[in-house]
Amino acid sequence: MVLKRKGDDTEEMTSRERKKLKVAGARTIAVQPSVSTSCSGTVQSSGNALAGPSSTTVRFDSMQGLPASIDVERFTEARVYEVDAMQKAIKTAGESVTHRVWQTLPRHLRRRAASHDVRRVPLRLRDKARAEMVPITRRILKRGRSKRGKTKQVSRTESLLKRKRDKTWLETHIWHAKRMKMENMWGYRLAVTPTEKSFRPSHRASMHGSILHDSSYHSLIELKGLENILRGVLDLCCDPQCTGMKRSMTGARVLETDLYKPGSYPFDLVAPVTIMWQPLPVGNTSAPTKASPAEGSSKRRRKGKKNVLADTAQQSPGRTVWVRSHPAVFDDIFAALQGSTSLVLDAEKQRHKDVHAEVEIADLRGSVNTFEIMGPKSSQVIKGALSSVIDDDRQEFKKFWPSLSDLQTTASLPRGIVIGMKVLDPRLKFPPKNAKVRTDPANPVMTFPAAILAQSEIWDEEKRSVLKKPTYKKKDLDARRSKNLVPGTPLKPIRQDDRIPLLLIQRSLESPNSTHGIHGWTLVFPAGWGMPFLPSLIHTGTRVGGQRERSTQAFEAGTAYFPRDFPCTAFYDKYWDELAIKEKAKWNRTPPAKKANYQKLGTRSPWRADWEVVLGLPVAPVIDENLVSAQREPQDAMEVDKTPTVRPWVLRGPEVPTILEKAAQTLNHGVGLLAEINRLRTKRGLDVLDPSYRPENLLKGALVMVRLKMVSRGAPNDLAIIYRVDDVEAKKIIQQNGKTRADANEPPEAAPPHTSIIGYVTSGNMSLSRGEGFAIGAIPVSVHLELQQQARRNGQSRPLVKIRDRAGMVCRAAYLDLLDS
């Protein structure tokens, strides 16, 4: 701050005021001063002359007052000062501009090459941008001649296909590649995060606006067969805790559950999946229908014989099921469904030897596109961008569609509700406008799940194949739009325009008893319509997010995100192994003075969570392939088989609090846990676990997901270590937290011992929605039962633990809760 002089009352001008004064001075045109003669005969100048009335009156309606002729030389000499002043003013005004044309554009319209390539500037400003360039570089960049000969030249299409050999591009890839950082993931080239700073704006959009994510890379598997057969297939490999299987079979809702290997529950968790049943045709909701067989599809695989269905078809209708999952576990999901189908068909064959049933399993990857639109304004965006067809006669839909614009949030709708509809080409009404919300609607409409409301032609493979390519290109629609008398008028649909079937599925990211949920829609529509839909959905301000934004939404909502938060799964190990290789390579490149010394910090496993050590399981030693073991093999091979085996597994589901509460009431917690697991298996028609598997081994290998809330300060990071707290330290934390907001624990001289480690943080950061540190992790079930007993002894409703970052020394106190509670 500049100090004022004594007696100086004038304030220092700001940089904005100085800049404004400079520009005003540069744009001022000098005026020739008037010359007058004083009484003494000397010439005096009065400074800048003021414009005054002319001595000669000129009438513009006649020729009177105009000179008969003009002497060009004398006229130019008389006006030389004004001409020179004008030229100087033009030059100084141009040089005083501190922003170039591309810098005046909003950030979302700026391009990296706009400073030297005029083609990256909008057409209306292109001439001005060309004039601003240095004369040497003032040229329009043209596509140079290929260095190859004419016979070896590669077309643009061939070059793009060559780049897609080892990966798949989404339909919106080029749009994303211009605005986002791209990486190869799971066989696709996907957007990770926007190039502009958008972490907080993306969070605000999910909480107060709308944000879109192209999730068309998710895998989709179709099952066709008899209803009772498909129900048996899903019961054999799905989580027995899910309670919505029966109500989702109507097709009015989707079911989100976990999928296991057939008959392996609670072990061998594969991944979370979303199950969608095709609703029965209108008027035949109770009448049976035959399953439609596959007709020459190279992607389809059958289970069973080709014989015509027998009397069982008269009792169970033919149905279609879609199973949507993460693309990285497609092969595992497909193998699990195949194995479950084989077991069910074998059991059905033994039960009814004269009946030959079959189940058709098809790979539908690339058949549909999926957009996830999250946020409270997602309903208004969809209503403003899409127009439903007029000839939809369903009364339920006629009530729902007008009321969509009045939804403040989709949280007011039933969870997982499915809306089937058919819309016009969204490019016909481009540019769209968001629908306006009526703050006080006269007659609010309540929407309930119904099979007739979920009807859609998108389930028909023939209809999807017909719409694989839009009938009209963008240039065709622009030609029609140019014929409108009033610019900006939406195009009127004609008979040749496409009618696109789609599904609207309510999507919620929320944990039980939490107020930080994020709600929106999942839009499912045929392949080939990704780019026609995207501009209309984002034109009104909807942000577009990548993988980082999608994972952040799950974190802010307090839900587990696959594969990051799913220990004891195959893809979890692969994900963290790849991440550990990258982080360790970066750590090795960093100078010693700029990186953490994990050995001195006492961090046992800095690159990944060692769940085997946490559970007390034997860790397999790392053996060099070049070395040969000098020890003899055991004489009796049966001695190895007799050793008890403990299989790590994770306990998930809506009934986790009830299961742990009943297990805690028994004297032997392992026996109580085994009884609850067998109850769930029997509920789905599965056999009880092998009697040779001991209850103590089941309890020893069990993990449970938890969420951690900081007591005062701190924000834990990924792979932070969770420590146990004894009774004395827990009481001290409670007392200090009640008096001050300072840390309950002082910085220790050394890290706590490894024996007190009870778990790890899988996702941790500063939560923007909570305004404090938040984390998701996992601990053993046995440890959680002990922490509950400790909390009851101390008179607390929640257990207390300590968290330490892997690169830090300070342990901070945190409350621990079940993630599924």
Side-chain angles (χ1 to χ4, degrees):
M1 181 177 179
V2 181
L3 299 178
K4 298 181 180 179
R5 295 180 180 180
K6 293 183 179 181
D8 189 4
D9 297 335
T10 60
E11 297 182 356
E12 185 73 17
M13 288 192 301
T14 62
S15 59
R16 185 175 182 180
E17 292 174 346
R18 290 196 298 269
K19 178 181 175 182
K20 190 175 181 180
L21 186 62
K22 177 184 176 182
V23 173
R27 293 180 177 179
T28 302
I29 302 176
V31 181
Q32 184 176 8
S34 61
V35 180
S36 60
T37 304
S38 62
C39 300
S40 60
T42 60
V43 179
Q44 295 181 353
S45 174
S46 61
N48 291 343
L50 298 177
S54 176
S55 59
T56 304
T57 303
V58 180
R59 293 181 58 186
F60 293 97
D61 56 349
S62 66
M63 299 296 292
Q64 297 180 3
L66 294 178
S69 62
I70 295 177
D71 189 348
V72 178
E73 184 176 357
R74 293 182 58 188
F75 183 82
T76 306
E77 290 178 356
R79 297 292 182 264
V80 66
Y81 187 90
E82 287 84 349
V83 173
D84 184 59
M86 177 63 72
Q87 291 178 348
K88 288 182 179 179
I90 293 175
K91 183 177 180 181
T92 56
E95 293 176 352
S96 66
V97 177
T98 58
H99 289 82
R100 295 181 60 180
V101 172
W102 63 271
Q103 291 177 314
T104 61
L105 295 172
R107 291 192 176 272
H108 69 279
L109 290 179
R110 296 183 187 180
R111 297 296 178 265
R112 177 184 56 82
S115 60
H116 61 272
D117 189 355
V118 295
R119 295 179 302 173
R120 299 297 183 183
V121 181
L123 187 62
R124 59 185 176 85
L125 301 174
R126 197 164 293 176
D127 294 337
K128 191 174 181 181
R130 187 180 291 105
E132 290 179 350
M133 288 187 178
V134 182
I136 300 176
T137 61
R138 189 182 298 170
R139 63 183 183 275
I140 301 176
L141 299 180
K142 297 181 179 180
R143 189 174 302 161
R145 291 185 178 181
S146 177
K147 296 181 180 180
R148 302 168 179 258
K150 291 185 177 180
T151 58
K152 297 183 179 180
Q153 288 183 359
V154 180
S155 64
R156 185 169 182 264
T157 303
E158 292 177 353
S159 63
L160 293 178
L161 293 176
K162 185 178 180 180
R163 292 164 58 187
K164 295 191 292 184
R165 285 179 180 176
D166 58 340
K167 53 189 171 294
T168 303
W169 285 5
L170 301 182
E171 295 179 8
T172 59
H173 168 80
I174 296 180
W175 190 94
H176 282 87
K178 294 179 179 179
R179 300 161 178 87
M180 298 197 174
K181 297 178 181 178
M182 312 294 289
E183 287 185 9
N184 294 337
M185 292 182 176
W186 318 308
Y188 292 87
R189 186 72 174 173
L190 301 179
V192 179
T193 179
T195 53
E196 62 178 358
K197 293 183 179 180
S198 59
F199 188 82
R200 288 177 179 268
S202 297
H203 169 71
R204 286 194 293 267
S206 63
M207 301 300 296
H208 307 291
S210 58
I211 182 170
L212 182 143
H213 175 75
D214 187 357
S215 60
S216 305
Y217 55 89
H218 278 210
S219 62
L220 189 66
I221 301 175
E222 183 182 69
L223 289 83
K224 285 186 178 182
L226 298 180
E227 182 179 290
N228 59 343
I229 301 294
L230 295 180
R231 174 69 185 272
V233 170
L234 296 178
D235 286 345
L236 194 60
C237 58
C238 289
D239 188 358
Q241 299 184 42
C242 66
T243 57
M245 179 66 75
K246 186 175 181 180
R247 67 181 182 182
S248 67
M249 292 176 64
T250 61
R253 294 174 183 257
V254 298
L255 174 65
E256 295 184 356
T257 182
D258 296 330
L259 191 136
Y260 296 78
K261 291 184 179 180
S264 298
Y265 180 84
F267 307 107
D268 300 327
L269 172 63
V270 180
V273 296
T274 302
I275 299 175
M276 295 179 282
W277 289 77
Q278 180 184 9
L280 291 173
V282 180
N284 296 330
T285 55
S286 59
T289 57
K290 293 185 179 181
S292 57
E295 298 179 359
S297 176
S298 59
K299 294 183 179 180
R300 298 180 181 270
R301 307 180 187 179
R302 290 190 178 186
K303 284 291 178 181
K305 297 186 178 180
K306 297 182 180 179
N307 299 19
V308 181
L309 303 180
D311 296 337
T312 309
Q314 302 300 327
Q315 303 174 2
S316 180
R319 300 293 300 275
T320 302
V321 178
W322 282 357
V323 180
R324 188 167 176 262
S325 64
H326 196 277
V329 294
F330 170 78
D331 294 334
D332 298 334
I333 297 289
F334 204 101
L337 293 174
Q338 275 188 319
S340 179
T341 302
S342 299
L343 295 175
V344 172
L345 290 178
D346 292 343
E348 187 70 17
K349 184 177 180 180
Q350 294 179 2
R351 192 180 301 110
H352 306 284
K353 296 183 179 180
D354 298 335
V355 177
H356 300 282
E358 67 177 9
V359 174
E360 179 184 325
I361 306 178
D363 177 12
L364 294 188
R365 287 181 297 182
S367 298
V368 297
N369 286 331
T370 309
F371 286 171
E372 294 174 354
I373 309 176
M374 306 299 291
K377 293 184 179 180
S378 57
S379 301
Q380 288 73 35
V381 170
I382 292 175
K383 180 65 184 304
L386 304 180
S387 299
S388 64
V389 296
I390 304 177
D391 55 351
D392 196 330
D393 298 331
R394 296 174 297 171
Q395 296 297 327
E396 292 81 359
F397 180 76
K398 290 182 178 180
K399 294 180 181 179
F400 164 78
W401 186 246
S403 66
L404 183 62
S405 58
D406 297 332
L407 281 179
Q408 301 283 353
T409 173
T410 59
S412 59
L413 294 175
R415 296 296 180 265
I417 186 174
V418 180
I419 309 296
M421 57 185 298
K422 187 184 293 185
V423 299
L424 300 172
D425 190 339
R427 296 173 296 177
L428 298 177
K429 60 180 299 186
F430 190 87
K433 294 182 180 179
N434 285 351
K436 295 184 179 180
V437 182
R438 292 181 297 177
T439 56
D440 191 11
N443 297 317
V445 179
M446 300 296 294
T447 304
F448 298 98
I452 189 174
L453 190 60
Q455 297 287 339
S456 177
E457 295 181 355
I458 196 173
W459 293 89
D460 192 346
E461 184 178 1
E462 295 182 358
K463 297 292 181 62
R464 295 198 304 267
S465 60
V466 170
L467 294 169
K468 189 73 174 180
K469 186 177 181 181
T471 303
Y472 294 103
K473 296 182 179 180
K474 183 177 181 297
K475 65 176 184 179
D476 301 330
L477 297 179
D478 291 341
R480 288 171 52 185
R481 192 175 286 110
S482 64
K483 298 177 182 179
N484 289 344
L485 297 179
V486 180
T489 305
L491 293 176
K492 294 183 179 180
I494 59 179
R495 183 176 55 85
Q496 292 81 4
D497 287 330
D498 295 312
R499 272 71 174 173
I500 305 101
L502 55 84
L503 291 176
L504 272 178
I505 304 173
Q506 193 273 347
R507 181 171 182 260
S508 292
L509 296 174
E510 59 182 349
S511 58
N513 303 323
S514 176
T515 58
H516 302 284
I518 300 177
H519 311 274
W521 293 99
T522 299
L523 187 64
V524 183
F525 52 95
W529 288 87
M531 281 310 299
F533 271 74
L534 182 65
S536 296
L537 292 172
I538 66 175
H539 180 76
T540 54
T542 300
R543 299 191 68 90
V544 180
Q547 296 296 319
R548 185 189 68 177
E549 285 69 30
R550 191 173 190 270
S551 62
T552 303
Q553 291 175 14
F555 174 76
E556 294 291 343
T559 59
Y561 187 73
F562 184 84
R564 183 184 60 193
D565 302 322
F566 280 76
C568 303
T569 59
F571 190 61
Y572 170 87
D573 297 334
K574 182 179 179 181
Y575 170 81
W576 281 104
D577 287 343
E578 294 176 353
L579 192 61
I581 293 174
K582 294 180 181 179
E583 291 188 353
K584 190 173 183 180
K586 182 180 179 181
W587 185 82
N588 290 331
R589 295 191 304 266
T590 308
K594 302 296 182 180
K595 63 183 178 183
N597 190 330
Y598 294 114
Q599 185 176 1
K600 290 185 178 180
L601 291 173
T603 304
R604 183 176 62 192
S605 179
W607 311 119
R608 56 162 301 164
D610 49 357
W611 298 111
E612 296 81 6
V613 181
V614 172
L615 294 172
L617 307 180
V619 181
V622 180
I623 302 176
D624 192 350
E625 297 178 355
N626 300 324
L627 300 179
V628 179
S629 177
Q631 297 181 357
R632 296 181 179 179
E633 298 293 332
Q635 297 293 334
D636 189 2
M638 296 300 294
E639 294 179 0
V640 181
D641 298 336
K642 290 180 181 178
T643 57
T645 58
V646 179
R647 301 178 60 185
W649 59 284
V650 60
L651 180 62
R652 275 178 50 82
E655 298 185 22
V656 168
T658 305
I659 293 174
L660 294 183
E661 183 179 358
K662 292 183 179 179
Q665 295 175 357
T666 59
L667 185 61
N668 189 339
H669 299 329
V671 175
L673 181 61
L674 179 60
E676 290 298 315
I677 295 299
N678 286 333
R679 177 184 64 83
L680 292 174
R681 290 177 61 89
T682 307
K683 175 183 175 182
R684 286 299 173 88
L686 303 176
D687 298 332
V688 297
L689 289 177
D690 191 354
S692 62
Y693 201 80
R694 300 177 182 176
E696 55 270 18
N697 293 340
L698 181 69
L699 179 63
K700 186 177 181 181
L703 288 173
V704 64
M705 296 182 182
V706 295
R707 60 172 177 263
L708 302 157
K709 180 183 177 182
M710 307 308 294
V711 173
S712 56
R713 295 176 56 189
N717 296 320
D718 296 350
L719 293 182
I721 308 168
I722 306 175
Y723 292 96
R724 188 193 303 268
V725 177
D726 55 18
D727 292 350
V728 177
E729 193 173 4
K731 293 180 181 179
K732 182 180 178 182
I733 292 174
I734 296 171
Q735 293 175 358
Q736 291 184 357
N737 182 58
K739 296 179 181 179
T740 177
R741 295 292 296 175
D743 279 334
N745 302 312
E746 297 295 333
E749 298 180 358
H754 292 168
T755 55
S756 60
I757 297 178
I758 60 174
Y760 287 93
V761 170
T762 56
S763 299
N765 204 342
M766 183 69 183
S767 175
L768 298 178
S769 59
R770 297 170 179 82
E772 59 185 359
F774 179 74
I776 296 175
I779 62 173
V781 171
S782 57
V783 174
H784 182 268
L785 296 177
E786 296 174 2
L787 293 177
Q788 289 287 358
Q789 295 177 359
Q790 182 190 51
R792 284 193 289 268
R793 289 196 305 267
N794 297 329
Q796 295 292 314
S797 60
R798 295 179 294 178
L800 275 172
V801 294
K802 291 190 301 184
I803 302 179
R804 179 179 75 89
D805 284 337
R806 54 178 173 171
M809 292 290 293
V810 180
C811 294
R812 303 189 186 277
Y815 291 112
L816 184 143
D817 290 308
L818 289 174
L819 189 63
D820 296 316
S821 64

